[in-house]
Amino acid sequence: MKYPPFIYEPDKSIGALAATESFFEECPDKKELITDLGWAYHSIGKTVPQTMENFWSGHFFPYMESWDELQVSFNLMMFGFYKQSFMSLRSALEVGMLSVYYNINDDGHNAVQNWYRSKDTWEANTPRSDKIWKILRSNENIASFDKEFDLKKQFDELGFLHNYVHTKGYKYSNYIGLISSNWQTFEEKGMIRWVNVYERVILLLLTLHLLKYPIGMIEFDWSSKVGIDNPFPVLNTFQVERIKKILPERHIAALEVIAKNDPETQALFTHISDLPDMTEDECEEQIFKLDQMSIEHGPGFIQWKQQELDRMEQHYPESRDVVLKRMKRLEAWATENDMMHPIEERSLHKDKRD
């Protein structure tokens, strides 16, 4: 395919990607940092409560949009589009803060509506940062933490990101202040700069979410109470460990104190911990029903079985007897209910029969 007289062409992006990946092979610590930060922010979304009242209301949209922007930013960086990657980091920061802003009083399903529906009114405009911080600081946890660690200053120091949006001169142009080719290329300085800002953005957003939802700092075996079908906005132990791995130690200590003293956090923790322990049979039945759903709405039993066998051998071979026994039950169910093949084949066969 012939293109207009463009210099920024897709083929050059492939070259930038290859050079970026080569850098990560030589510097795996950078790749590990990006991965750890990404997993930590992915985990924190679980602390935003999902209830019958707010489900599909849009209250979770700001967090999801911020997560999308972080991924887009990473992709742009990998292909050498550094200016645009910083622009996406700015969007991730701003919309990620809205996740806490709109849910600050636990009525995000109502508060978010005008903005979420993009109404053509001033109330629907994305709020300015001074208004956002005024609302954020109305939360006692955020206010006290901000007083000690100056979160607002951390946010203000990221203010330079808007310069990429408005192209404030050569430094914030597509050249990002470097003497380089006039097309997308791998630039180590640009990539290192991106990793630094990516880290600062995620740490700030993580901290704000944990201050609003301190239950995210509590390590507890929730599965012993609710099995694998956990309806509560809590994190598994490995997810808490991910977050603690990247947060400064002083921040961790302060957040743990806040979690111990936060009335709502302690009330929820007490409620869950006072529940009776799940029996092995109850846990097994949960897993069985979840597997049924996976088979019915996906690959069908035959493909599902092979996927599960591969996963079992790789991750938990010690559970072989239990898994094989469950598979035997599932095979009988799938045979009886015509769930052996993928949903597309089943739908096609059904249409032909009809």
Side-chain angles (χ1 to χ4, degrees), residues 296-309:
E296 181 177 0
H297 299 289
F301 177 79
I302 295 175
Q303 289 187 28
W304 173 89
K305 178 182 178 181
Q306 188 57 55
Q307 293 170 0
E308 287 299 301
L309 287 173

Side-chain angles (χ1 to χ4, degrees), residues 35-279:
T35 301
D36 289 342
L37 289 163
W39 272 116
Y41 193 64
H42 180 269
S43 298
I44 203 64
K46 195 177 176 185
T47 62
V48 182
Q50 305 278 2
T51 66
M52 292 297 294
E53 184 178 14
N54 66 25
F55 203 68
W56 297 116
S57 69
H59 82 294
F60 195 56
F61 175 75
Y63 166 78
M64 286 302 302
E65 183 69 2
S66 67
W67 173 236
D68 286 350
E69 286 287 3
L70 287 171
Q71 296 176 73
V72 169
S73 179
F74 169 76
N75 275 271
L76 289 167
M77 179 276 295
M78 292 293 290
F79 283 105
F81 292 106
Y82 300 106
K83 175 187 175 182
Q84 290 72 26
S85 71
F86 285 117
M87 291 165 64
S88 281
L89 281 183
R90 181 192 187 222
S91 294
L93 173 62
E94 293 180 345
V95 78
M97 291 174 63
L98 291 183
S99 173
V100 181
Y101 169 86
Y102 280 119
N103 290 294
I104 200 73
N105 294 315
D106 301 316
D107 65 342
H109 53 290
N110 294 319
V112 78
Q113 288 306 308
N114 288 330
W115 177 80
Y116 177 61
R117 298 181 184 280
S118 307
K119 291 188 175 181
D120 192 19
T121 62
W122 69 267
E123 296 97 334
N125 292 337
T126 299
R128 295 172 61 89
S129 63
D130 55 348
K131 182 178 181 181
I132 291 175
W133 278 100
K134 181 179 179 181
I135 297 300
L136 292 180
R137 284 167 165 165
S138 68
N139 177 279
E140 291 184 10
N141 295 338
I142 295 177
S144 63
F145 195 93
D146 179 51
K147 186 175 181 180
E148 182 176 359
F149 296 103
D150 206 345
L151 291 177
K152 178 61 163 55
K153 181 181 178 183
Q154 295 175 38
F155 170 79
D156 289 340
E157 289 174 347
L158 289 166
F160 68 88
L161 287 172
H162 81 277
N163 293 333
Y164 290 101
V165 178
H166 303 293
T167 313
K168 187 180 178 181
Y170 190 74
K171 180 178 180 180
Y172 300 101
S173 70
N174 284 303
Y175 296 97
I176 57 171
L178 303 175
I179 299 175
S180 60
S181 302
N182 57 342
W183 60 79
Q184 67 272 36
T185 57
F186 167 71
E187 300 295 338
E188 183 174 335
K189 289 184 179 179
M191 190 276 297
I192 296 296
R193 186 186 305 170
W194 179 88
V195 173
N196 176 266
V197 179
Y198 167 82
E199 179 179 20
R200 291 161 65 185
V201 167
I202 288 183
L203 290 179
L204 179 55
L205 293 179
L206 269 178
T207 303
L208 287 170
H209 278 82
L210 287 168
L211 290 167
K212 168 58 187 165
Y213 306 113
I215 193 91
M217 291 299 297
I218 294 181
E219 297 183 56
F220 182 76
D221 182 14
W222 311 105
S223 62
S224 66
K225 302 295 181 179
V226 295
I228 63 169
D229 188 15
N230 192 339
F232 299 107
V234 295
L235 301 183
N236 295 318
T237 297
F238 72 89
Q239 293 173 313
V240 180
E241 291 173 350
R242 281 176 180 167
I243 290 171
K244 289 183 176 180
K245 181 179 178 181
I246 64 172
L247 285 176
E249 290 186 7
R250 290 180 62 230
H251 288 199
I252 294 172
L255 287 165
E256 288 178 336
V257 170
I258 287 174
K260 290 179 181 179
N261 295 316
D262 183 74
E264 291 184 10
T265 297
Q266 289 304 311
L268 179 57
F269 175 67
T270 299
H271 171 72
I272 300 174
S273 59
D274 285 347
L275 292 173
D277 287 351
M278 292 277 289
T279 66

